Amino acid sequence: MRETVDLLIEDPRWQTIGLEEISQAAVDATLRHLRLDPEAFELSLMGCDDARIRALNVEFREKDKATNVLSWPSEERASEQRGGMPELPQTGGGPFAEELGDIAIAYETCVREAEELGRSATDHVTHLIVHGVLHLLGFDHIDDKDAALMEGLEREILEILGISDPYRITD
């Protein structure tokens, strides 16, 4: 069985919450939900700290601040129609996996956000990895229609993983 996630842990604190297991489960669930075979694809995931993701955010987005997750798709797959399904990758079934792209996720920001949201770090990180994988597949949240499609998929995938709706507003 081929691993879908090529994981690089730059910040050892990620090991305390099991980033390897979390990421593999999140990636596999996302691909399967979209009827894609996880063994036919691979992506790189870097578990880093706020300083590293801030530098990446400056370099690639010209935003001088830390963020929770960044993604770099290997191909542009977005739909030209707002709220439309992206063109999902196809694989020829050869011996090599199709590269989806790269994701970076920042420990301090994720843990802080989880605490602020009253969620477990595991659930929040799982959500962010699902979110990042959807970006690699061409989904986005730039406008309301795109956001509705992407958030709907996130809810469905997280439900499969036994995680409550991260967009549900509670008092």
Side-chain angles (χ1 to χ4, degrees):
M1 183 167 149
R2 181 171 24 205
E3 292 292 316
T4 309
V5 180
D6 180 17
L7 180 63
L8 170 64
I9 296 181
E10 285 192 352
D11 186 324
R13 292 176 292 178
W14 279 112
Q15 293 172 340
T16 65
I17 65 168
L19 183 59
E20 184 172 3
E21 295 80 16
I22 292 169
S23 62
Q24 194 65 53
V27 171
D28 287 358
T30 303
L31 295 175
R32 283 193 177 98
H33 188 68
L34 294 167
R35 295 177 173 74
L36 298 171
D37 178 7
E39 290 196 28
F41 300 95
E42 68 180 13
L43 61 87
S44 295
L45 175 69
M46 177 176 57
C48 62
D49 61 14
D50 276 6
R52 177 80 157 119
I53 211 158
R54 180 180 182 172
L56 292 168
N57 210 14
V58 167
E59 181 178 352
F60 292 100
R61 299 177 65 221
E62 298 179 3
K63 294 186 178 190
D64 191 10
K65 65 178 185 174
T67 188
N68 50 21
V69 66
L70 292 171
S71 58
W72 298 269
S74 61
E75 290 182 31
E76 179 58 49
R77 296 182 172 93
S79 172
E80 291 184 19
Q81 177 184 346
R82 289 184 178 171
M85 281 292 288
E87 187 169 327
L88 296 178
Q90 301 299 313
T91 178
F96 301 106
E98 174 83 18
E99 176 63 38
L100 296 176
D102 303 312
I103 297 171
I105 189 163
Y107 185 84
E108 296 99 328
T109 296
C110 291
V111 169
R112 186 187 73 252
E113 288 176 347
E115 289 173 2
E116 289 169 357
L117 294 167
R119 303 178 67 79
S120 74
T122 300
D123 286 359
H124 187 56
V125 169
T126 300
H127 175 213
L128 292 172
I129 293 172
V130 168
H131 184 87
V133 173
L134 289 173
H135 275 307
L136 297 183
L137 294 170
F139 294 90
D140 215 327
H141 45 85
I142 293 172
D143 65 48
D144 289 345
K145 288 182 180 181
D146 289 334
L149 175 62
M150 187 171 182
E151 291 172 10
L153 287 169
E154 289 173 10
R155 286 181 172 106
E156 292 168 3
I157 295 161
L158 293 172
E159 183 178 356
I160 291 166
L161 292 167
I163 296 172
S164 64
D165 181 351
Y167 297 106
R168 188 182 77 234
I169 298 172
T170 58
D171 294 331

